[in-house]
Amino acid sequence: MKSLLILGAGGFGQMIQETARLIGYAKVVFLDDAVKGEDVIGKCCDYQAFLGEYDTAVAALGDNGMRLYWTEKLMEAGYKVPAIIHPSAVVSPSAEIGNGSFIMQRAVVNTHTVIEHGVLVNSGAVVDHDSHVAKGAHIGLGSVVKANCNIDVKRKVEAGEVVFSTRRKIDGVTNRNLEDALYAFGFGNQCSYVKPFGQGHINETYAVYMPTDAGDEFAYILQRVNNNVFKDPAGVMENIFGVTEYLRNVIRDEGGDPDRETLSCIKTKAGCTYFEDSEGQPWRCYHYIPNSVCYQLVEEPEQFYQSGNSFGHFLKQLGNYPASSLKETIPDFHNTVKRFANFQRAVKRDIKNRAITCRPEVKFALEREADCGVLVKQQEEGKLPLRVTHNDTKLNNILFDADTGKGLCIIDLDTIMPGLAANDFGDSIRFGAATAEEDERNLDLMHFDISLYEMYVKGYLEGTDGVLTPEEIESLPWGARLMTLECGMRFLTDYLEGDTYFKTAYPEHNLVRARTQFRLVDEMEQQFEKMQEIVRQYC
Ligand code: ADP
Ligand code: GN1
Ligand code: MG
């Protein structure tokens, strides 16, 4: 015969007696210090004396401290201390209910919720999913504990009270917007820590670490998109979702791994492509691609070949993508003629009185006005086709496989738009066929490396694999010259306008960058014929 010893014969104890009988305890007796009665067989302090006769006991005391105290005493003494769950309660199979806890009539304990020992979840209370109720707590009649809540030890949630989830502190979170974004993508309750990541000039990137059995793991890339630069973040995200979803199929057809060879974007918990914070700034999220490396400078020439191959292949993969469906995320992004006009205007206005500090650089750019139109004109005349291009093909916008060293995944898809192949080719050369970083102050270290250029040409033409027209192939060296000139002009424009576009670390940072670009342009001009010959040699 199943029997139960209940400590506490008050009203609550009587309810537990009734419940115990409903769930199959035939003999249910009490210990109580004050109440007398037929089925009160002793005082609470006699509990050890009954251990032989009753092996199962619970503490049905309304006071949270007393209930917890006696529940633990019973456990220590060697009693079986079961949870008592009323048959009308609804308890998720994935919920955990601790020893000596009571789940009363019509209470609900939802998925993955943990109820520790000595807890009372009273009639009609709801504890929603993923919550944690610590020992000795009392969830009052008809109260609601919402999802992801933590209820402290011995806390009393009043009858009818609603408890909203309190956010846990996440290491590395320095501002409310970042925290809101982490919660919007559903990482808030597990995330171990976040930290700034990457070296882009436009967006703000964070690495998001999540706990695993093997320790903290870099799991997601969270980015605040710069809405000063990207005025239509919804359009940016529409492009990125469209292109990456399309690429997944192409990659699958090629026998590749869509989870590693293109970005996987994550929607917010509300199903949106990005999250807008309280200041109207957009945040988006990607899966981090593990076992990948990203370079700021070519370390081995082979990497640059790989980079050319990947960017070329990317153009080919998107050959049939409906270009007209793409939003123009930055109008006239690589219209070098317009970039020149913007530069001229910045010089004329000289809003920060900085022109005096950069006369030679301004002169260098102004002398090249005629060059700026070379590719724009050919495109307008229909000699060069518009393709789906990346438009920001820096070496650090490609991930390499850490094991094989091969180009793995093209990232930073904000500027995917219809454009010229020459521009993608050229932007890569500008950044990667250089012997120093974009912001090297010592210009003696900055040179155009034609052997790296040759590596890229080989990789790019192999990657595009016959897609480019002869005119496009001829246009590639011009792409290199003009993307470098254009980027230098953009840095100089931003310097003159007071550094409102590119992130800077010190006041003349943009000027330093412009100088490296113009140094490269100068050297490319001197070796232009050789650059053309190389392209012809590989086509
Ligand atoms: P930005 O526009 O600021 O350049 P990116 O999208 O290029 O931002 O991201 C910045 C850096 O973060 C990249 O250079 C790369 O090192 C890293 N990164 C971005 N996305 C991923 C990803 N999905 N997996 C691994 N690393 C990534
Ligand atoms: C910016 O975002 P990031 O750092 O990859 C810029 C490029 C420039 C580059 C110069 C949207 O690229 O156009 O060529 O800096 N991106 C945008 O390093 O303006
Ligand atoms: Mg980038």
Side-chain angles (χ1 to χ4, degrees):
M1 186 173 61
K2 248 175 107 183
S3 54
L4 179 70
L5 185 62
I6 301 178
L7 271 64
F12 176 42
Q14 308 284 322
M15 283 169 65
I16 297 307
Q17 186 184 46
E18 277 180 21
T19 305
R21 285 187 175 138
L22 281 176
I23 59 176
Y25 290 94
K27 184 173 177 199
V28 186
V29 294
F30 295 104
L31 296 181
D32 198 291
D33 294 359
V35 182
K36 299 270 179 247
E38 224 175 76
D39 45 9
V40 179
I41 59 169
K43 295 177 78 170
C44 290
C45 59
D46 301 330
Y47 71 104
Q48 279 165 318
F50 293 95
L51 189 52
E53 205 178 329
Y54 297 89
D55 63 351
T56 307
V58 293
L61 299 154
D63 179 86
N64 291 348
M66 293 297 280
R67 184 173 64 255
L68 180 59
Y69 172 83
W70 282 111
T71 301
E72 291 179 346
K73 282 278 176 212
L74 293 172
M75 287 160 70
E76 279 162 30
Y79 278 100
K80 283 190 235 161
V81 185
I84 303 291
I85 301 174
H86 193 276
S88 67
V90 180
V91 176
S92 156
S94 63
E96 289 172 32
I97 314 289
N99 294 107
S101 285
F102 305 101
I103 315 295
M104 305 305 287
Q105 298 94 323
R106 302 203 167 203
V108 175
V109 179
N110 228 328
T111 313
H112 297 312
T113 278
V114 175
I115 308 281
E116 289 188 353
H117 61 275
V119 169
L120 166 58
V121 180
N122 222 329
S123 311
V126 176
V127 186
D128 205 1
H129 67 87
D130 296 293
S131 287
H132 190 106
V133 181
K135 59 188 177 184
H138 174 184
I139 312 300
L141 294 165
S143 63
V144 174
V145 174
K146 295 192 70 180
N148 300 305
C149 282
N150 281 308
I151 303 295
D152 289 341
V153 174
K154 294 191 273 184
R155 172 168 168 192
K156 168 85 186 287
V157 174
E158 282 302 337
E161 187 180 339
V162 179
V163 180
F164 293 87
S165 103
T166 39
R167 286 180 170 182
R168 49 189 279 281
K169 193 183 158 341
I170 301 167
D171 288 338
V173 172
T174 45
N175 65 74
R176 181 64 196 247
N177 289 335
L178 173 57
E179 183 183 277
D180 287 348
L182 285 164
Y183 277 90
F185 284 99
F187 307 142
N189 288 303
Q190 296 90 40
C191 177
S192 306
Y193 62 98
V194 283
K195 61 177 183 183
F197 188 71
Q199 304 208 13
H201 294 342
I202 306 293
N203 300 319
E204 213 171 86
T205 305
Y206 295 89
V208 179
Y209 287 78
M210 304 296 275
T212 71
D213 292 343
D216 292 328
E217 186 184 273
F218 186 170
Y220 303 103
I221 294 274
L222 183 65
Q223 281 184 327
R224 199 192 80 191
V225 179
N226 183 331
N227 59 351
N228 180 36
V229 169
F230 297 102
K231 310 284 184 204
D232 173 19
V236 170
M237 293 314 295
E238 201 181 305
N239 283 358
I240 296 178
F241 269 86
V243 164
T244 52
E245 282 170 10
Y246 178 88
L247 282 175
R248 288 183 76 80
N249 288 326
V250 176
I251 292 164
R252 213 174 278 114
D253 289 348
E254 291 171 347
D257 178 353
D259 290 332
R260 283 177 67 69
E261 294 173 32
T262 189
L263 288 172
S264 299
C265 314
I266 297 168
K267 287 191 176 161
T268 65
K269 288 208 299 177
C272 303
T273 55
Y274 68 98
F275 164 70
E276 192 173 302
D277 69 25
S278 59
E279 291 170 45
Q281 307 189 94
W283 293 76
R284 54 134 177 262
C285 184
Y286 299 114
H287 282 281
Y288 173 70
I289 299 179
N291 208 27
S292 64
V293 238
C294 182
Y295 300 102
Q296 304 305 323
L297 201 62
V298 173
E299 289 171 4
E300 295 291 332
E302 166 70 13
Q303 289 159 358
F304 206 40
Y305 164 82
Q306 287 296 333
S307 162
N309 199 267
S310 294
F311 278 118
H313 186 57
F314 185 76
L315 181 122
K316 186 172 185 208
Q317 285 176 317
L318 290 172
N320 291 323
Y321 191 79
S324 58
S325 70
L326 287 171
K327 296 275 181 323
E328 202 180 2
T329 55
I330 303 182
D332 296 315
F333 190 56
H334 284 319
N335 184 327
T336 314
V337 174
K338 292 206 171 152
R339 293 289 188 183
F340 183 84
N342 291 345
F343 165 66
Q344 263 184 322
R345 192 187 55 188
V347 175
K348 198 162 162 235
R349 289 185 174 176
D350 193 18
I351 204 160
K352 294 285 169 185
N353 292 321
R354 281 176 163 181
I356 189 145
T357 61
C358 55
R359 293 274 176 239
E361 291 78 16
V362 168
K363 181 166 176 285
F364 184 95
L366 290 176
E367 282 169 359
R368 283 157 179 80
E369 179 172 11
D371 288 353
C372 294
V374 171
L375 291 180
V376 172
K377 188 158 169 282
Q378 287 186 44
Q379 190 260 309
E380 283 170 358
E381 288 169 353
K383 292 181 183 148
L384 295 176
L386 282 178
R387 298 188 181 274
V388 174
T389 47
H390 181 282
N391 294 303
D392 189 3
T393 52
K394 299 203 293 200
L395 184 68
N396 63 12
N397 285 332
I398 170 168
L399 301 177
F400 292 83
D401 188 303
D403 293 332
T404 64
K406 294 217 181 324
L408 178 66
C409 178
I410 303 291
I411 60 169
D412 204 346
L413 306 175
D414 294 331
T415 48
I416 286 231
M417 285 180 279
L420 299 179
N423 292 343
D424 270 5
F425 172 87
D427 201 31
S428 284
I429 298 300
R430 164 190 91 66
F431 191 87
T435 55
E437 289 197 35
E438 204 175 54
D439 56 358
E440 174 58 58
R441 285 171 188 262
N442 181 356
L443 282 184
D444 292 341
L445 300 179
M446 189 52 151
H447 297 291
F448 169 57
D449 183 334
I450 196 144
S451 61
L452 282 178
Y453 168 86
E454 182 166 352
M455 296 294 280
Y456 194 92
V457 169
K458 185 168 182 291
Y460 190 73
L461 291 177
E462 282 176 22
T464 46
D465 190 23
V467 164
L468 300 183
T469 65
E471 292 77 17
E472 278 179 298
I473 294 174
E474 271 296 303
S475 75
L476 298 180
W478 268 108
R481 244 168 99 167
L482 291 186
M483 280 301 97
T484 315
L485 176 64
E486 182 188 283
C487 193
M489 287 194 305
R490 290 173 63 199
F491 287 142
L492 196 52
T493 303
D494 200 30
Y495 174 69
L496 290 166
E497 290 179 342
D499 309 316
T500 59
Y501 188 93
F502 296 103
K503 281 189 217 158
T504 51
Y506 52 91
E508 68 283 15
H509 203 161
N510 272 318
L511 176 58
V512 167
R513 289 172 177 147
R515 285 186 180 134
T516 60
Q517 300 308 293
F518 292 162
R519 158 58 60 101
L520 293 173
V521 172
D522 185 36
E523 294 194 358
M524 286 180 196
E525 287 171 354
Q526 289 171 38
Q527 301 180 66
F528 199 57
E529 275 173 28
K530 180 89 181 114
M531 287 168 73
Q532 289 175 315
E533 268 167 39
I534 290 172
V535 163
R536 287 174 198 139
Q537 195 184 319
Y538 284 96
C539 68

